[in-house]
C-alpha cells in the first residue's frame, strides 16, 4: 500500500534556520511563473549552505517545481487528513508526497482549520513523512498546536499579512510570547517561526533575535520586481545574525 511504502522512504531532515516562501495563489507564482520564481530561489538556496529554503506552492505546481530543485524543499500549502479512497477534491497527503513535496503548511490563516482537524492533519502528514509547519494566529493557538508535535509552528498575526508591516517590528512582545509558549509546550522539540509583513533584512534579524529559527514570507518576495535580491538580503540577515552569536 502507498502509505506503507512512503513510511519506508527516507525522511527529509531539516535544519533551521529556514526561510519558507509561500507562493499563495499569486499570479507571479503559479504555472510557468512558479518555475521561473523557483529557479531564482534555488540559485540563492545554493549560495547559502547553512540556511534551509522551502517553497509552499499550489498543489498543481508541486510536480513541476519538484523537477527543478535540489536544495530547495517543496511544500504543499494545505493537505486534507484523508486516507486513499473515495474523497473527490481532497488533497491526499500521499499524493502530495508522491508528486515531490517533502512538507506542508497546515492551518494557514487563509486556510484555517478547527483544532481537531489540525491534529488529524499533523498525524496524517507524519504518517507519510511530510515535514509539518502549522501556522497559528495567536500565542495561545501557537501553544495549542505545539501539543500536536509538528516540526514547526509559525506565529502569523493575520492583520499584518501582506501589509509590509513586519510581525517582528510591530508585535515584538506578542511574538516573544508565542516563541516562549512553543518552546515550553514543545519541550524544545518544536521549532518556532514567524511570518506576516516581513519585508526587510532588519525584519528577519529582529525575528531571530526574538527567538524564532526562521520566517515565512510571501508578498515581499513573490511580488517584488527583483525577488532574488530581496531573498538574498533576508539570507544575509540570517548569516549576519548567526555570525554575531
Ligand atoms: O505564509 C506567509 C504569509 O502569510 C505572510 O504573508 O505577504 O505578509 O509575507 P506576507
Amino acid at each position: 500500500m502507498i502509505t506503507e511504502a512512503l513510511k519506508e522512504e527516507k525522511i527529509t531532515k531539516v535544519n533551521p534556520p529556514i526561510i519558507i516562501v509561500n507562493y499563495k495563489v499569486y499570479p507571479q507564482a503559479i504555472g510557468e511563473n512558479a518555475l521561473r520564481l523557483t529557479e531564482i530561489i534555488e540559485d540563492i538556496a545554493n549560495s547559502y549552505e547553512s540556511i534551509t529554503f522551502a517553497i509552499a506552492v499550489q498543489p498543481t505546481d508541486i510536480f513541476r517545481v519538484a523537477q527543478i530543485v535540489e536544495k530547495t524543499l517543496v511544500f504543499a500549502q494545505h493537505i486534507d487528513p484523508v486516507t486513499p479512497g473515495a474523497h473527490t477534491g481532497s488533497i491526499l497527503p500521499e499524493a502530495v508526497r508522491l508528486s515531490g513535496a517533502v512538507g506542508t503548511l497546515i492551518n494557514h490563516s487563509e486556510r484555517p482549520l478547527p483544532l481537531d482537524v489540525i491534529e488529524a492533519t499533523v498525524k496524517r502528514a507524519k504518517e507519510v513523512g511530510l515535514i509539518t509547519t502549522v501556522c497559528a494566529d495567536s500565542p495561545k493557538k501557537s501553544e495549542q498546536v505545539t501539543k500536536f508535535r509538528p516540526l514547526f509552528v509559525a506565529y502569523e498575526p493575520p492583520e499584518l499579512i501582506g501589509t509590509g508591516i513586519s510581525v517582528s517590528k510591530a508585535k515584538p512582545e506578542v511574538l516573544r510570547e508565542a516563541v516562549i509558549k512553543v518552546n515550553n509546550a514543545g519541550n524544545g522539540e518544536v521549532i518556532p517561526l514567524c511570518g506576516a509583513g516581513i519585508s526587510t533584512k532588519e525584519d528577519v534579524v529582529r525575528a531571530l533575535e526574538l527567538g524564532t529559527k526562521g520566517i515565512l514570507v510571501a508578498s515581499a518576495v513573490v511580488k517584488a520586481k527583483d525577488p532574488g535580491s530581496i531573498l538574498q538580503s533576508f539570507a544575509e540577515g540570517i548569516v549576519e545574525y548567526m555570525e554575531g552569536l
Side-chain angles (χ1 to χ4, degrees), residues 4-245:
E4 294 306 316
L6 285 173
K7 266 186 209 160
E8 301 300 310
E9 275 200 16
K10 198 172 136 259
I11 305 293
T12 305
K13 291 266 176 265
V14 196
N15 291 318
I18 184 169
I19 297 177
I20 303 173
V21 181
N22 182 358
Y23 286 19
K24 302 198 174 184
V25 296
Y26 284 124
Q28 297 91 332
I30 54 173
E32 286 295 315
N33 288 345
L35 285 178
R36 273 192 283 276
L37 181 59
T38 302
E39 277 169 6
I40 293 169
I41 293 174
E42 174 75 359
D43 266 359
I44 293 177
N46 280 317
S47 314
Y48 292 90
E49 252 331 291
S50 56
I51 303 175
T52 298
F53 289 78
I55 53 176
V57 306
Q58 279 289 291
T60 41
D61 287 324
I62 290 173
F63 184 77
R64 75 172 100 198
V65 299
Q67 304 304 305
I68 64 161
V69 293
E70 280 183 14
K71 168 101 190 317
T72 309
L73 307 179
V74 178
F75 285 9
Q77 296 176 3
H78 169 81
I79 54 170
D80 293 300
V82 294
T83 49
H87 302 287
T88 306
S90 297
I91 302 183
L92 177 71
E94 280 83 347
V96 158
R97 186 83 203 281
L98 290 168
S99 297
V102 297
T104 186
L105 303 183
I106 296 168
N107 190 49
H108 192 279
S109 62
E110 292 151 11
R111 192 68 173 83
L113 300 168
L115 267 182
D116 60 330
V117 179
I118 298 172
E119 182 172 21
T121 307
V122 170
K123 187 163 173 279
R124 282 261 53 228
K126 287 183 177 178
E127 279 169 10
V128 301
L130 287 169
I131 296 158
T132 45
T133 302
V134 177
C135 301
D137 60 5
S138 68
K140 182 170 175 229
K141 187 60 81 58
S142 302
E143 181 175 46
Q144 287 170 325
V145 300
T146 294
K147 296 192 175 133
F148 307 145
R149 288 292 188 276
L151 182 60
F152 298 109
V153 167
Y155 167 58
E156 293 202 322
E159 68 278 11
L160 294 180
I161 290 177
T163 62
I165 301 168
S166 153
V167 53
S168 53
K169 278 200 186 138
K171 295 194 149 213
E173 62 302 317
V174 191
L175 173 54
R176 186 67 199 143
E177 188 190 343
V179 166
I180 290 168
K181 284 196 187 309
V182 171
N183 287 341
N184 289 344
N187 277 328
E189 290 163 28
V190 179
I191 301 167
L193 308 177
C194 73
I198 291 179
S199 314
T200 66
K201 176 167 117 176
E202 289 68 39
D203 297 338
V204 177
V205 172
R206 194 74 191 108
L208 298 176
E209 285 170 350
L210 290 164
T212 70
K213 304 289 181 199
I215 56 155
L216 247 84
V217 60
S219 49
V221 172
V222 174
K223 293 167 80 178
K225 279 214 175 69
D226 183 353
S229 72
I230 292 281
L231 190 61
Q232 187 163 11
S233 72
F234 291 176
E236 283 300 319
I238 292 180
V239 170
E240 283 170 27
Y241 172 80
M242 287 176 9
E243 282 175 355
L245 287 180

